[in-house]
């Protein structure tokens, strides 16, 4: 793609031309995905970043007419978004590790008697990171499928799957540490 052609394409996108946006996406989707994968080392996260960045570009398309070097612009905002996502994931992992390390201290013995296993499950869900909690509740309580959750939350299907697996793992650990067999059985019933 030549620079003059790209300028025209950006101008068309800034005026809301969806075909021009599609051409722009097609031209940069793959190289941007490879670039972001090198930063994140995660295909799912790279896919999510690319989708998020192009969504932001479309939502702020009027600004494209003044962009001089689109490739540099695209790669800088994508790198920044990827780094923000990695920071967020690191923070969620730290919170999860902290939860797992301190879970015994968080539950007073009288808080969840053996016959009140749903209260224990609710406590475990309450201690999930916000994104995992939302995905878990949409999946298990609202019975939405991965694709429906992904569309509602603006995530990739793989990210939804990863959040749900992480949530299930955290809840299971929470319940196991408390040692409530009834709650484990109830959790198994909820999972299937």
């Amino acid at each position: 793609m030549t620079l003059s052609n790209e300028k025209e394409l950006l101008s068309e996108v800034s005026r809301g031309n969806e075909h021009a946006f599609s051409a722009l996406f097609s031209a940069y989707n793959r190289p941007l995905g490879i670039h972001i994968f090198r930063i994140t080392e995660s295909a799912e996260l790279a896919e999510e970043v690319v989708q998020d960045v192009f969504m932001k570009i479309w939502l702020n398309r009027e600004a494209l007419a003044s962009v001089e070097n689109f490739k540099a612009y695209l790669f800088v905002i994508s790198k920044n978004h990827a780094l923000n996502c990695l920071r967020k994931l690191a923070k969620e992992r730290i919170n999860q590790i902290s939860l797992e390390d301190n879970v015994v201290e968080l539950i007073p013995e009288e808080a969840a008697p053996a016959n009140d296993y749903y209260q224990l499950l609710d406590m475990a869900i309450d201690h999930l990171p916000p994104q995992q909690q939302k995905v878990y509740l949409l999946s298990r309580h609202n019975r939405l499928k991965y694709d429906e959750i992904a569309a509602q939350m603006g995530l990739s299907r793989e990210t939804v799957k990863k959040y749900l697996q992480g949530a299930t793992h955290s809840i299971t650990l929470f319940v196991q540490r408390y040692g409530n067999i009834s709650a484990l059985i109830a959790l198994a019933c909820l999972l299937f």
Side-chain angles (χ1 to χ4, degrees), residues 46-109:
E47 177 186 340
E48 185 176 325
V49 167
V50 170
Q51 289 174 1
D52 288 351
V53 166
F54 273 100
M55 178 63 73
K56 286 179 185 179
I57 287 171
W58 177 252
L59 293 174
N60 299 307
R61 60 189 170 272
E62 295 81 17
L64 289 178
S66 63
V67 172
E68 292 297 321
N69 183 342
F70 180 72
K71 184 175 181 180
Y73 170 79
L74 179 65
F75 278 62
V76 167
I77 63 172
S78 299
K79 178 183 175 187
N80 290 341
H81 187 62
L83 293 174
N84 287 338
C85 288
L86 288 172
R87 279 188 209 100
K88 184 178 176 185
L89 284 174
K91 194 175 190 179
E92 286 178 1
R93 285 187 183 136
I94 288 169
N95 289 340
Q96 184 174 356
I97 289 168
S98 175
L99 167 68
E100 291 170 2
D101 289 345
N102 298 315
V103 71
V104 174
E105 297 170 21
L106 295 173
I107 307 173
E109 285 188 34

Side-chain angles (χ1 to χ4, degrees), residues 1 4-14 20-21 23-24:
M1 171 181 306
S4 63
N5 211 3
E6 184 173 271
K7 278 289 205 192
E8 185 178 313
L9 196 58
L10 292 175
S11 179
E12 285 295 316
V13 173
S14 73
F21 179 74
L24 195 65

Side-chain angles (χ1 to χ4, degrees), residues 159-187:
T159 300
V160 169
K161 183 178 177 183
K162 188 178 354 174
Y163 280 161
L164 189 56
Q165 288 171 340
T168 303
H169 179 71
S170 294
I171 292 169
T172 302
L173 283 176
F174 191 95
V175 172
Q176 283 175 339
R177 287 210 178 160
Y178 188 72
N180 188 323
I181 295 299
S182 300
L184 281 172
I185 293 167
L187 176 62

